[in-house]
């Protein structure tokens, strides 16, 4: 029992570390986007992530790193994450960190709708209530006279849509595909696609060594965060860990206050709480459903 508790505690620490990495990535991209084009930052985020995986994982995994039975699905899923990164960076460049991050947490609510439409999964009345409440929370943040610009809201809405499709594709691939391989394909496809598109956006000021290091840090934050996330799920169930993803909202609020001197107003905080509560209720509902199904299987045996 003590060993199991230690593993669960370690998983929680890994999850908190991963969400801090993601919040740091967002805060750094927000700073850099005031000087450099967002596509260049997306290129940096995936290129250095890809290099990290090649350096630390390729020597041991070799061809297993790219072995997949569904390469087209892997590429399509990776492109959705590239879209999420690009649209969210564009949104972060125009809006405060905490409120922008909250918009991405509407994603689980969109996933519920897409799962019903694409995967033909049934949705309970409680799920629909959570979805409606979550979107009401988003409206509290995006209300007229709030801190968000319409253009920024547009970018974050596109980011949330891409992220929802990415999560649906992840659910479809996870039963048969290696998690690390899926992670590598996101880094590889992001690197290749943004490198091929470089002539369309490359230009402007040349980064000095400090800004170059910050651009490289985007990939380090992203790669480290995803590796910590993957490792966390080895030590504890996803249904238990998923609520800790919302620590990213707290990190975003703290980083926004520390580096950009911004704190959300009360209505925005209320909206964030409603979004988090709605998404958590869905996660907990799924956890209870899985526990009930496991109990029924045990009873049947």
């Amino acid at each position: 029992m003590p060993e199991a508790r230690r593993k669960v505690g370690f998983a929680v620490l890994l999850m908190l570390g991963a969400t801090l990495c993601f919040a740091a990535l967002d805060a750094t991209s927000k700073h850099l986007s005031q000087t450099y084009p967002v596509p260049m930052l997306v290129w940096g985020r995936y290129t250095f992530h890809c290099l990290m995986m090649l350096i630390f994982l390729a020597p041991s995994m070799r061809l297993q790193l790219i072995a997949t039975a569904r390469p087209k699905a892997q590429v399509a899923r990776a492109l959705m994450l590239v879209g999420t990164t690009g649209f969210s960076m564009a949104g972060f460049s125009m809006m405060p960190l905490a409120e922008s991050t909250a918009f991405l947490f509407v994603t689980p609510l969109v996933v519920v709708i897409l799962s019903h439409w694409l995967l033909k999964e049934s949705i309970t009345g409680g799920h629909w209530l959570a979805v409606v409440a979550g979107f009401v929370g988003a409206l509290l943040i995006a209300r007229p006279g709030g801190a968000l610009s319409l253009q920024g809201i547009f970018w974050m809405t596109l980011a949330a849509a891409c992220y929802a499709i990415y999560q649906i594709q992840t659910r479809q691939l996870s039963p048969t595909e290696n998690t690390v391989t899926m992670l590598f394909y996101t880094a590889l496809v992001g690197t290749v696609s943004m490198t091929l598109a470089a002539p369309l956006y490359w230009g402007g000021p040349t980064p000095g060594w400090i800004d170059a290091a910050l651009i490289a840090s985007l990939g380090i934050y992203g790669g480290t965060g995803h590796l910590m996330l993957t490792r966390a799920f080895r030590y504890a169930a996803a249904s238990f860990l998923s609520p800790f993803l919302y620590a990213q909202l707290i990190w975003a609020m703290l980083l926004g206050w520390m580096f950009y001197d911004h704190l959300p107003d009360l209505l925005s905080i209320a909206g964030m709480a409603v979004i988090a509560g709605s998404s958590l209720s869905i996660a907990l509902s799924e956890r209870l459903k899985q526990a009930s199904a496991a109990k029924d299987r045990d009873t049947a045996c």
Side-chain angles (χ1 to χ4, degrees), residues 67-234:
T68 177
R70 304 179 64 184
K72 291 182 180 179
Q74 291 275 17
V75 171
R77 172 181 172 274
L79 287 174
M80 286 297 103
L81 190 60
V82 174
T84 301
T85 303
F87 292 137
S88 62
M89 282 186 180
F92 285 124
S93 71
M94 301 174 182
M95 301 193 302
L97 276 176
E99 288 91 330
S100 303
T101 302
F103 256 84
L104 281 182
F105 281 97
V106 174
T107 298
L109 310 176
V110 180
V111 168
V112 170
I113 298 172
L114 291 180
S115 297
H116 177 67
W117 180 40
L118 297 175
L119 304 181
K120 308 304 181 186
E121 294 182 358
S122 60
I123 302 180
T124 65
H127 279 176
W128 280 119
L129 185 61
V131 169
V132 172
F135 285 119
V136 169
L139 290 175
L140 283 175
I141 299 172
R143 69 192 185 280
L148 308 190
S149 69
L150 286 177
Q151 189 175 359
I153 292 170
F154 173 74
W155 291 127
M156 294 310 294
T157 301
L158 288 179
C162 286
Y163 198 32
I165 297 172
Y166 165 82
Q167 290 192 10
I168 291 290
Q169 292 171 321
T170 300
R171 287 169 60 174
Q172 292 174 321
L173 287 171
S174 292
T176 57
E177 298 291 318
N178 183 288
T179 302
V180 177
T181 299
M182 292 167 66
L183 180 59
F184 180 69
Y185 268 93
T186 61
L188 179 63
V189 171
T191 301
V192 172
S193 61
M194 297 312 296
T195 299
L196 292 175
L200 301 177
Y201 62 80
W202 206 266
T206 301
W209 69 269
I210 294 178
D211 282 354
L214 288 174
I215 292 172
S217 76
L218 298 176
I220 296 171
Y221 288 138
T224 303
H226 279 288
L227 287 172
M228 292 175 78
L229 199 69
T230 302
R231 181 74 63 175
F233 288 130
R234 291 185 182 182

Side-chain angles (χ1 to χ4, degrees), residues 226-249:
H226 279 288
L227 287 172
M228 292 175 78
L229 199 69
T230 302
R231 181 74 63 175
F233 288 130
R234 291 185 182 182
Y235 296 114
S239 57
F240 171 78
L241 288 175
S242 58
F244 291 96
L245 286 169
Y246 293 88
Q248 188 173 341
L249 279 172

Side-chain angles (χ1 to χ4, degrees), residues 13-51:
L13 288 177
L14 286 171
M15 182 66 75
L16 294 177
T19 56
L20 177 58
C21 283
F22 297 146
L25 189 161
D26 297 336
T28 305
S29 71
K30 178 177 177 64
H31 166 71
L32 291 169
S33 64
Q34 308 308 310
T35 306
Y36 305 102
V38 166
M40 178 191 290
L41 305 181
V42 178
W43 173 85
R45 181 257 181 272
Y46 285 103
T47 298
F48 288 98
H49 179 177
C50 188
L51 288 173

